[in-house]
Amino acid sequence: MLRCAGLVIFSQISWAQDAPAALPYSPDAIPLSQYQSGDAASSAVPDPFAISTVPQGKEYFLAIYSGSTSGVYYYVASAICDTLSMTYHQHHIRCVALRSQGVGSNRDLMTQGRAQMIIVQSDTNYYASNGEKPIPGARSVMSLHNEMGVLVVSKNSDIHGVADLRGKRVNLGPEGSASRNQALELLTAYGLKPADLGRADAVTQDANAQGLCSGYIDAFPVWIGHPAQVVDDVARFCGARLVGMNGDGMENLLHQHQYYSHQTLPANLYPGQDQPIESYGFKASLVAYEPVKPYIVYWLTRSLMEHLDVLRAKTPNLSMLNAREMFEVGNFLPFHEGAARYWREIGWLQDGGPKGPPDIDESADQ
């Protein structure tokens, strides 16, 4: 699966003592010795200082948990770090991309107080906001790229929509997996059951390309950030076609689930795909942990938005980012105070709260 995960933010000096009592806070991805940089080797806590007067040698650290190094989120995390590094002189935040085991493990990391920021899908954000699958202390920052669903079908098949899967051999993904649950929901929306298929396989998603190109399956559904290597490979090497999931079933899903959004795949993104494709999917969603200082989250948000063209160019998966959608779509949790300050500063969030850069420090560093 190309579903990856999260951001983790760190800063200098001591961290365990600063967390709100109700929220655990013990990040563990970077050794404690690395929290102390420059002239921060002393145990003394620096006086509060404003963004415009960052003392020489003081640094903060941002580590991005992101899932498999072959996954989309890993490249997104790396792109975020690269973009943030462009404005280092303004904030003194250093950033690195790290691996994780995916969205589920990143939820667990934040719940345990070990992750300061995570990248998840918008449904995770939604279920956290309504308490169905809570993540204590989770706050929205922004949404990122689309994770649009498509059917990838064999070259000579007569599949032109979801309803055409009846009687076909389809890999729905392993039993109990998120990919299979997603596929079953799609079938149900179009009045289909696994028994209506010619064969409903339960094979890992890693086998999709081999299964389709060898003629063992006729199709597989996938929700992913585009362009995706697995889709490009089967389109290039065995002439696979892409089919959208649009139709009445899709409209019902959009009506039932707020975390889905209508999405369009531009023409010519993949070999042989000469027309736009209409479908639906998630937004990748950036979520911060409440104990993280507003200073760090503010500068992350500001640096990405002020250098959006750079961020888009870092990886193809981010090439279609839309600034307004990054604020308006998929952010179901309340905004983290650092992100909220930036959104207020540019006039998009009008809730009467404080605007502009927060001070670096109000007490000890986290």
Side-chain angles (χ1 to χ4, degrees):
M1 283 173 56
L2 299 180
R3 292 172 55 182
C4 310
L7 292 185
V8 181
I9 297 183
F10 301 89
S11 61
Q12 57 181 347
I13 314 299
S14 173
W15 39 265
Q17 64 190 19
D18 303 313
L23 294 172
Y25 191 61
S26 55
D28 61 357
I30 294 179
L32 178 61
S33 62
Q34 293 186 31
Y35 283 69
Q36 301 175 344
S37 63
D39 63 356
S42 163
S43 61
V45 176
D47 292 334
F49 44 86
I51 284 176
S52 59
T53 57
V54 178
Q56 185 67 29
K58 304 295 184 182
E59 292 185 316
Y60 292 78
F61 294 92
L62 165 71
I64 306 179
Y65 278 121
S66 58
S68 167
T69 51
S70 64
V72 171
Y73 283 4
Y74 182 80
Y75 292 98
V76 169
S78 298
I80 289 172
C81 284
D82 288 348
T83 305
L84 186 62
S85 70
M86 293 178 55
T87 53
Y88 173 81
H89 65 285
Q90 293 178 284
H91 47 66
H92 287 203
I93 299 171
R94 294 195 183 277
C95 183
V96 62
L98 301 176
R99 294 180 297 177
S100 80
Q101 296 181 36
V103 171
S105 66
N106 285 304
R107 290 183 68 258
D108 293 341
L109 286 167
M110 182 164 284
T111 299
Q112 296 162 11
R114 294 164 54 192
Q116 284 69 33
M117 196 179 289
I118 57 177
I119 301 177
V120 295
Q121 289 180 313
S122 51
D123 60 332
T124 301
N125 189 317
Y126 176 80
Y127 288 129
S129 72
N130 70 9
E132 187 170 340
K133 297 179 181 179
I135 309 175
R139 295 291 182 266
S140 289
V141 178
M142 66 178 69
S143 64
L144 295 166
H145 57 281
N146 289 338
E147 299 193 341
M148 176 176 154
V150 293
L151 296 176
V152 185
V153 308
S154 58
K155 179 179 181 179
N156 297 318
S157 73
D158 58 354
I159 301 171
H160 301 284
V162 179
D164 296 331
L165 294 178
R166 186 182 298 272
K168 300 299 192 295
R169 303 164 300 168
V170 184
N171 183 30
L172 302 179
E175 295 285 351
S177 67
S179 57
R180 187 177 185 87
N181 292 339
Q182 190 78 23
L184 293 175
E185 181 187 63
L186 176 67
L187 292 178
T188 300
Y190 282 90
L192 296 173
K193 303 183 295 296
D196 296 322
L197 305 177
R199 193 181 67 235
D201 289 346
V203 180
T204 175
Q205 297 292 299
D206 293 339
N208 277 330
Q210 181 180 357
L212 195 72
C213 290
S214 68
Y216 187 75
I217 59 174
D218 300 307
F220 64 88
V222 62
W223 287 262
I224 201 168
H226 297 277
Q229 192 64 52
V230 63
V231 179
D232 189 82
D233 286 346
V234 293
R236 189 174 305 278
F237 297 119
C238 58
R241 296 184 295 108
L242 273 64
V243 175
M245 298 173 173
N246 55 313
D248 291 342
M250 182 190 84
E251 296 302 327
N252 289 336
L253 288 173
L254 291 173
H255 179 73
Q256 294 168 14
H257 303 297
Q258 297 181 46
Y259 48 79
Y260 289 139
S261 57
H262 177 270
Q263 298 174 5
T264 302
L265 195 69
N268 302 312
L269 202 60
Y270 293 105
Q273 181 236 333
D274 58 1
Q275 297 294 323
I277 294 175
E278 302 299 320
S279 193
Y280 76 101
F282 304 96
K283 282 283 190 182
S285 182
L286 191 58
V287 175
Y289 195 42
E290 189 176 11
V292 178
K293 285 194 176 298
Y295 170 81
I296 298 175
V297 182
Y298 170 87
W299 273 106
L300 173 71
T301 308
R302 176 172 169 176
S303 297
L304 298 185
M305 297 305 295
E306 290 187 349
H307 298 86
L308 196 54
D309 287 345
V310 174
L311 184 62
R312 291 187 184 113
K314 291 291 183 181
T315 175
N317 305 108
L318 299 178
S319 63
M320 294 177 283
L321 285 179
N322 178 284
R324 195 75 194 196
E325 286 186 1
M326 294 169 75
F327 168 72
E328 292 181 343
V329 181
N331 299 306
F332 299 102
L333 290 159
F335 282 111
H336 187 282
E337 179 54 32
R341 281 177 179 258
Y342 178 76
W343 298 129
R344 294 186 196 110
E345 184 178 291
I346 64 174
W348 289 3
L349 180 64
Q350 301 178 2
D351 61 359
K355 300 179 181 179
D359 287 343
I360 274 184
D361 204 1
E362 296 85 22
S363 57
D365 293 320
Q366 298 175 331

